[in-house]
Amino acid sequence: MANAGLQLLGFILAFLGWIGTIVSTALPQWKIYSYAGDNIVTAQAIYEGLWMSCVSQSTGQIQCKVFDSLLNLNSTLQATRALMVIGILLGLIAIFVATVGMKCMKCLEDNEVQKMRMAVIGGVIFLIAGLAVLVATAWYGNRIVQEFYDPMTPVNARYEFGHALFTGWAAASLCLLGGGLLCCSCPRKTTSYPTPRPYPKPAPSSGKDYV
């Protein structure tokens, strides 16, 4: 059986990864305007996220515009949205399932094997959630790289990686690491030996000798 401390560490790491996934999904800095070319404007910063695009002025004023139509968005953005939401929902399910299987909880105390299996199932769900977030962030980042090095993209329309993208990568790593540690709680199969048969007891002597 896995150590309770290792199991708790895995749950904490996976939980932090789930929080990071929510933060990454909500932040608008998925890609930031690249100050490349001759016409460099440093008075404002332009960045886009999964739900809106924003412009930050040097005076501190920020103006954001939510994307109007879902059908008007490109396929990469739609797929990234879907994968991030799926990762959040799977992480929420994994939290409830793994909590039941934690050794520090009172649930299923009478069935230790079933309790450990619940922790393993929670770890597997965390792994799937981490993979969903990793695929989403990697796909979005690859699209940024392709557009940046595309000669058809104007110099003043190129973007670089934003803070939310790095947060998503860190969140995916924590979910995968935490889920892997929870999966170490898998109960080992114990070898069952047949029950030894009792030897027959000798009959007590009556005290008479027969010739």
Side-chain angles (χ1 to χ4, degrees), residues 4-18 91-102 104-105 119 122-123 126 174-175 177-183 185:
L6 187 66
Q7 188 184 65
L8 182 60
L9 177 62
F11 180 81
I12 293 175
L13 291 177
F15 181 78
L16 292 177
W18 179 69
L92 182 62
I93 297 174
I95 289 173
F96 287 108
V97 175
T99 301
V100 176
M102 297 294 292
C104 56
M105 302 299 293
F126 268 125
L174 290 176
C175 286
L177 180 58
L181 293 178
L182 285 174
C183 288
S185 304

Side-chain angles (χ1 to χ4, degrees), residues 7 97-98 101 114-127 179 182-187:
Q7 188 184 65
V97 175
Q114 186 65 25
K115 186 179 182 67
M116 300 301 292
R117 286 177 180 173
M118 293 296 291
V120 173
I121 293 174
V124 172
I125 300 176
F126 268 125
L127 288 176
L182 285 174
C183 288
C184 294
S185 304
C186 182

Side-chain angles (χ1 to χ4, degrees), residues 151-210:
M152 301 300 295
T153 304
V155 177
N156 57 355
R158 296 179 179 178
Y159 288 84
E160 296 179 352
F161 298 153
H163 307 299
L165 201 57
F166 294 104
T167 304
W169 283 329
S173 302
L174 290 176
C175 286
L176 292 174
L177 180 58
L181 293 178
L182 285 174
C183 288
C184 294
S185 304
C186 182
R188 299 177 182 177
K189 295 182 179 180
T190 56
T191 305
S192 58
Y193 297 95
T195 305
R197 297 180 180 179
Y199 292 99
K201 296 181 180 180
S205 176
S206 60
K208 296 181 179 181
D209 296 327
Y210 295 93

Side-chain angles (χ1 to χ4, degrees), residues 20-196:
T21 302
I22 298 177
V23 173
S24 175
T25 306
L27 286 177
Q29 293 93 352
W30 276 68
K31 62 179 183 179
I32 301 177
Y33 177 76
S34 176
Y35 296 101
D38 298 331
N39 298 326
I40 300 178
V41 181
T42 58
Q44 62 182 11
I46 305 173
Y47 44 87
E48 291 185 7
L50 300 181
W51 316 98
M52 65 185 69
S53 60
C54 299
V55 177
S56 176
Q57 305 291 339
S58 59
T59 57
Q61 183 180 4
I62 300 177
Q63 296 178 347
C64 296
K65 179 183 178 182
V66 180
F67 297 138
D68 299 327
S69 175
L70 177 63
L71 300 178
N72 195 27
L73 301 176
N74 57 69
S75 58
T76 301
L77 184 57
Q78 293 182 13
T80 304
R81 277 185 178 184
L83 289 173
M84 294 299 290
V85 172
I86 290 174
I88 293 174
L89 295 178
L90 288 177
L92 182 62
I93 297 174
I95 289 173
F96 287 108
V97 175
T99 301
V100 176
M102 297 294 292
K103 291 184 177 181
C104 56
M105 302 299 293
K106 298 295 183 181
C107 303
L108 298 176
E109 274 189 329
D110 54 343
N111 192 342
E112 187 176 356
V113 176
Q114 186 65 25
K115 186 179 182 67
M116 300 301 292
R117 286 177 180 173
M118 293 296 291
V120 173
I121 293 174
V124 172
I125 300 176
F126 268 125
L127 288 176
I128 298 175
L131 286 176
V133 176
L134 182 62
V135 171
T137 51
W139 192 354
Y140 194 94
N142 182 59
R143 182 62 182 269
I144 294 176
V145 173
Q146 288 181 351
E147 292 180 351
F148 186 88
Y149 291 106
D150 188 0
M152 301 300 295
T153 304
V155 177
N156 57 355
R158 296 179 179 178
Y159 288 84
E160 296 179 352
F161 298 153
H163 307 299
L165 201 57
F166 294 104
T167 304
W169 283 329
S173 302
L174 290 176
C175 286
L176 292 174
L177 180 58
L181 293 178
L182 285 174
C183 288
C184 294
S185 304
C186 182
R188 299 177 182 177
K189 295 182 179 180
T190 56
T191 305
S192 58
Y193 297 95
T195 305

